[in-house]
Amino acid sequence: MRRSNSSARLRRPVLYLALAVLVAGALAAPTIAKRSSASQGGLSVTKSAFGSVNGQGVDRYTLRNRRMSVSILTYGGIIQQLRAPDRRGRMANVTLGFRNLGGYLSDAYKTANPYFGALIGRYGNRIAKGRFTLDGKQYSLDINNPPNSLHGGFEGFNVKVWDATPIRTANRVGVRLTYTSPEGEGCTQSMPSTPPCTTGYPGTLKVQVDYTLDARNQLRMDYTATTDKPTVVNLTNHAYWNLHGEGTGTIYDHRLQLNANRYTPDDPTLIPTGAIDPVAGTPMDFRRFHVIGARIRSNFPQLVIGRGYDHNWVLNRPAGSTNMIVAARLVDPSSGRRLTVSTTQPGIQFYSGNFLNGTLYGFSGHGYRQSDGLALETQHFPDSPNHPNFPSTVLRPGQTFKSSTIYGFSTVGR
């Protein structure tokens, strides 16, 4: 009996301690569970090998929430696949691209060079005749879209293998891509019958692009860049969208709205003339939703020049403002999918896929033909270095280029 009582007395402190631990754990449990839910909440980022380019390994980062997923390649920062639900919850890949890396490296792709899903730089869009003057010095670039330079030249950011680091925050998951562009990049070779380039872009440019996904089906891109010498910078992404699903046909039945009262008309080589014209009374007017195919084959001179839409729209924002605003809304009436593009940039290029010619067979195995996808590229204006009246794209040492764009996916209709 004494031994039993003594053992009981010895066990009591242990029991009291265990009870205290259980109570403390119960009180702390809700906080721990909440923290875990916030950090995960159906959000995840995974990494997998995706082949190699010239001995460099290429990885694919897949970002997921409970309703959609997006895959980003370290090669070219390419949005390779984005799966989103329709109004009935059925999933489809809504961006043009290839199932494997070979599609992006094929001769057919290099010839057509549609820039599917790629990060574009150093200078997105065209620079007239591959020439610009900065601080009294003329610079010359690759003429890869005769007679102009397009999307950074023959060896732009779209063909670089970027360094990558996964991102995990309380509300988002993603991947951070970094690349250092050496001075002189953008001058690699010449095409027959075009002037040779001699300088490339000035300055060493350090670039960072964060792709992140949240629980509200918003894919966000945050761009930053710094330089050690004065240079010009215009960064964007060249994803092609078909909200009915990649490989299902044209986007002519999609409805588009652009938050722009004006646009920059082009000359016959798709270089802005320098004018900033009103859209009112023209097929360029998307201030209200319009069916893309309704006016695309009209004889309006700008649509004849571009073989469709391939123009920069001037977004409605106060001069000098860099607030995030809605730039475009795109709806596929059949599936009910809606894409809302918001940005801090001053312009957006709407390209209706006019030069897709059926030589490329995409993710689903179907050939991509004219207007099987469209691009909505947030940007500064094309050829800005040669147009003083356009927003400046000059970046100087000590400054940081910053821009952000959000692609938000939702559904409409019953």
Side-chain angles (χ1 to χ4, degrees):
M1 288 294 293
R2 289 178 181 174
R3 179 181 299 175
S4 175
N5 289 339
S6 176
S7 298
R9 285 195 298 270
L10 288 172
R11 286 199 299 270
R12 282 170 190 159
V14 175
L15 290 171
Y16 293 154
L17 178 60
L19 181 60
V21 170
L22 286 172
V23 170
L27 292 173
T31 302
I32 294 171
K34 183 176 180 181
R35 199 173 291 150
S36 175
S37 175
S39 64
Q40 297 177 14
L43 295 168
S44 67
V45 52
T46 57
K47 173 185 173 183
S48 59
F50 202 73
S52 63
V53 177
N54 298 324
Q56 288 184 281
V58 174
D59 293 320
R60 175 174 60 186
Y61 285 80
T62 299
L63 322 179
R64 292 185 176 88
N65 62 23
R66 288 193 173 97
R67 290 182 54 78
M68 66 174 279
S69 67
V70 56
S71 295
I72 312 294
L73 305 182
T74 56
Y75 176 71
I78 289 170
I79 300 176
Q80 181 241 352
Q81 180 181 195
L82 190 148
R83 292 178 57 79
D86 68 6
R87 64 167 65 95
R88 296 182 179 180
R90 296 173 298 190
M91 303 296 290
N93 175 27
V94 296
T95 192
L96 274 57
F98 301 102
R99 193 173 293 275
N100 54 55
L101 186 61
Y104 300 98
L105 304 179
S106 69
D107 290 339
Y109 185 80
K110 292 176 182 178
T111 300
N113 208 6
Y115 302 93
F116 288 154
L119 289 177
I120 302 298
R122 286 190 188 189
Y123 199 95
N125 222 304
R126 295 172 174 85
I127 293 182
K129 299 180 181 179
R131 302 289 187 272
F132 69 93
T133 299
L134 178 59
D135 295 340
K137 181 178 179 179
Q138 187 178 82
Y139 295 89
S140 65
L141 310 169
D142 287 332
I143 307 297
N144 63 323
N145 183 232
N148 306 311
S149 184
L150 175 67
H151 293 334
F154 290 105
E155 299 291 331
F157 290 179
N158 59 295
V159 296
K160 306 300 182 181
V161 178
W162 295 61
D163 293 327
T165 306
I167 299 171
R168 295 180 180 88
T169 70
N171 302 310
R172 312 183 73 86
V173 292
V175 59
R176 173 167 295 163
L177 301 178
T178 57
Y179 173 69
T180 298
S181 173
E183 183 167 18
E185 194 166 64
C187 177
T188 57
Q189 57 182 294
S190 298
M191 297 180 70
S193 303
T194 63
C197 62
T198 57
T199 65
Y201 291 97
T204 298
L205 190 75
K206 294 184 178 181
V207 184
Q208 176 180 303
V209 182
D210 290 356
Y211 287 95
T212 55
L213 177 69
D214 66 13
R216 297 181 295 165
N217 290 0
Q218 293 188 127
L219 174 64
R220 182 180 177 117
M221 285 164 271
D222 293 299
Y223 305 80
T224 60
T226 58
T227 183
D228 62 355
K229 292 181 180 179
T231 192
V232 294
V233 182
N234 193 19
L235 305 179
T236 190
N237 179 278
H238 207 297
Y240 289 70
W241 307 106
N242 185 321
L243 298 185
H244 191 65
E246 170 272 340
T248 61
T250 75
I251 45 77
Y252 286 153
D253 60 346
H254 285 37
R255 299 174 183 272
L256 177 66
Q257 181 185 39
L258 297 174
N259 180 19
N261 295 335
R262 300 175 296 163
Y263 78 107
T264 53
D266 290 340
D267 70 15
T269 71
L270 297 177
I271 290 292
T273 63
I276 299 178
D277 286 355
V279 299
T282 77
M284 316 302 280
D285 189 352
F286 285 92
R287 290 175 295 176
R288 295 183 179 181
F289 277 103
H290 279 281
V291 177
I292 290 172
R295 302 172 295 178
I296 198 169
R297 298 186 185 276
S298 76
N299 63 356
F300 185 67
Q302 286 296 306
L303 295 181
V304 174
I305 286 173
R307 301 186 188 180
Y309 296 102
D310 191 6
H311 297 77
N312 170 69
W313 272 257
V314 179
L315 296 176
N316 294 333
R317 63 163 69 250
S321 166
T322 57
N323 293 335
M324 182 74 73
I325 63 169
V326 172
R329 294 182 178 91
L330 181 70
V331 173
D332 169 37
S334 176
S335 68
R337 292 187 183 92
R338 174 173 59 189
L339 168 62
T340 302
V341 183
S342 303
T343 190
T344 61
Q345 290 273 42
I348 188 168
Q349 185 89 3
F350 165 37
Y351 170 54
S352 53
N354 314 320
F355 296 96
L356 298 174
N357 60 9
T359 60
L360 301 175
Y361 291 81
F363 204 94
S364 60
H366 293 93
Y368 293 143
R369 299 188 180 276
Q370 187 178 41
S371 295
D372 278 358
L374 63 88
L376 294 166
E377 307 156 69
T378 58
Q379 60 177 11
H380 275 60
F381 303 172
D383 200 34
S384 288
N386 295 311
H387 295 282
N389 61 319
F390 287 0
S392 175
T393 56
V394 175
L395 181 68
R396 298 186 180 278
Q399 298 176 334
T400 300
F401 170 91
K402 291 184 179 181
S403 76
S404 298
T405 293
I406 297 172
Y407 289 131
F409 293 86
S410 57
T411 58
V412 297
R414 299 175 62 180

